[in-house]
């Protein structure tokens, strides 16, 4: 007997809740390492973001008489990603304000999960960067993270609230120094391990790569966007500097671009967002190359990290990318210009 049924015929056991659970697990190495490096304030920022995002989504949906979807874990993941993009030294009201902005303005106003045009956490981070630039650019100095006395230093960080020196001086990130005059100022080993200042979840390349391996193993993401994004950023930085007559960019500077700033974190956890990235393979390639180009331009011309703005700009172009790269139905001839008859 032949059974006929309507599409789709390919089914999966994956659900929004299982995907979000896997993303949350993948985020844990980077976030926990951030707590290890920055201490109590980092933990408080993470908890504030996570709790505020969940409560804001629950309250908004109840007030608007919408189905409550906090159980799918998307609000929790938004909070965790926002926290990894914040310095540990931010005032406590900024994680709360950013979380409310991410859930209501970027996500719920557009219709909730699956309808937002940009990554909610990155949209909130850019809002905070533009509105509270000084606080968002103040980074906690890193003390004794590895070596003798590291455990005692960790206990001190976990029991001390005021993480900045008495004079209020903050530490520069490795990328800031490298984008200045000294192109070889970054210690690549320390940058790889995470022994430097920066946002909570972006400092350790090792921790981020562990999350990447986990999500690849769980088939949550594909290799295309992360690898092409990072690779194209390196290539475009090299080419732009060459065209500007800045000379050949050395391997140390190119490696510094990869290991510092939010490039790896953005490539693994933010550019791969299901809602705001293309679903077509060709579209993912175009999308990754576009973000790589924008990031390179921001870093070369703007002397800024640039990852967040590059990703949300590319998010807004995704509908056009998908329209152009959508494959035609099997057996359907194409008209002149690429559209199916």
């Amino acid at each position: 007997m032949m059974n006929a049924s309507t599409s789709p015929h390919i089914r999966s056991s994956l659900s929004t809740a299982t995907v979000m659970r896997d993303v949350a697990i993948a985020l844990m190495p980077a976030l926990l390492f951030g707590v290890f490096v920055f201490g109590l304030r980092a933990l408080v920022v993470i908890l504030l973001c996570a709790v505020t995002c969940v409560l804001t989504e629950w309250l908004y949906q109840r007030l608007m008489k919408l189905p409550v979807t906090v159980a799918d874990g998307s609000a929790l993941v938004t909070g965790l990603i926002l926290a990894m993009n914040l310095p540990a030294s931010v005032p406590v009201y900024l994680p709360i304000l950013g979380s409310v902005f991410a859930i209501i303005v970027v996500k719920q106003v557009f219709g909730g999960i699956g309808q937002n045009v940009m990554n909610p956490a990155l949209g909130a981070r850019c809002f905070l960067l533009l509105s509270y630039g000084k606080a968002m650019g103040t980074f906690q100095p890193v003390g004794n993270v590895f070596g003798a006395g590291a455990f005692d230093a960790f206990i001190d960080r976990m029991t001390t609230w005021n993480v900045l020196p008495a004079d209020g001086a903050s530490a520069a990130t490795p990328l800031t120094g490298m984008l200045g005059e000294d192109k070889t100022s970054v210690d690549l080993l320390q940058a790889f391990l995470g022994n430097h200042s920066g946002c909570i979840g972006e400092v350790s390349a090792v921790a981020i790569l562990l999350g990447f391996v986990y999500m690849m193993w769980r088939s949550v993401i594909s290799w295309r966007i992360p690898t092409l994004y990072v690779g194209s950023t390196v290539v475009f930085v090299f080419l732009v500097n060459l065209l500007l007559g800045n000379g050949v960019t050395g391997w140390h500077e190119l490696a510094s671009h990869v290991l510092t700033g939010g490039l790896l974190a953005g490539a693994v956890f933010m550019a791969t967002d299901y809602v705001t990235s293309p679903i077509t393979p060709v579209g993912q390639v175009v999308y990754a190359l576009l973000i790589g180009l924008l990031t390179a331009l921001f870093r070369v011309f703007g002397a800024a990290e640039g990852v967040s703005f590059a990703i949300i700009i590319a998010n807004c172009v995704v509908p056009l990318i998908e329209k152009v790269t959508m494959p035609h139905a099997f057996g359907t001839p194409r008209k002149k210009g690429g559209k199916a008859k």
Side-chain angles (χ1 to χ4, degrees), residues 96-128:
I96 297 173
L97 179 61
S99 298
V100 172
F101 185 90
I103 295 298
I104 294 182
V105 178
V106 186
K107 184 181 179 184
Q108 291 299 329
V109 166
F110 286 92
I113 187 171
Q115 305 298 319
N116 45 286
V117 296
M118 65 180 65
N119 185 289
L122 285 188
R125 182 179 191 244
C126 291
F127 162 71
L128 294 177

Side-chain angles (χ1 to χ4, degrees), residues 3-18:
N3 293 320
S5 62
T6 59
S7 62
H9 302 292
I10 300 176
R11 302 185 183 275
S12 170
S13 60
L14 288 178
S15 65
T16 300
T18 57

Side-chain angles (χ1 to χ4, degrees), residues 26-27 30 81 84-85 122 125 175 188-194 196 201-213 215 221-223 225-234 254-273 291-292 295 299 305-308 311:
L27 284 163
I81 293 177
M84 80 181 300
N85 283 282
L122 285 188
R125 182 179 191 244
L175 182 63
L188 295 180
L189 177 59
Q190 298 304 317
F192 182 70
L193 296 176
H196 59 85
E202 72 178 22
V203 291
S204 175
V206 176
I208 295 169
L209 291 174
L210 285 175
F212 173 67
V213 170
M215 288 198 292
I221 62 174
S222 74
W223 60 269
I225 293 176
T227 55
L228 291 175
Y229 174 24
V230 174
S232 63
T233 299
V234 171
L254 294 175
S256 299
H257 275 284
V258 175
L259 297 177
T260 59
L263 181 58
L264 285 179
V268 174
F269 296 111
M270 293 158 245
T272 55
D273 176 36
I291 307 176
T295 302
R299 290 191 171 188
E305 187 259 343
V307 169
S308 298
I311 293 176

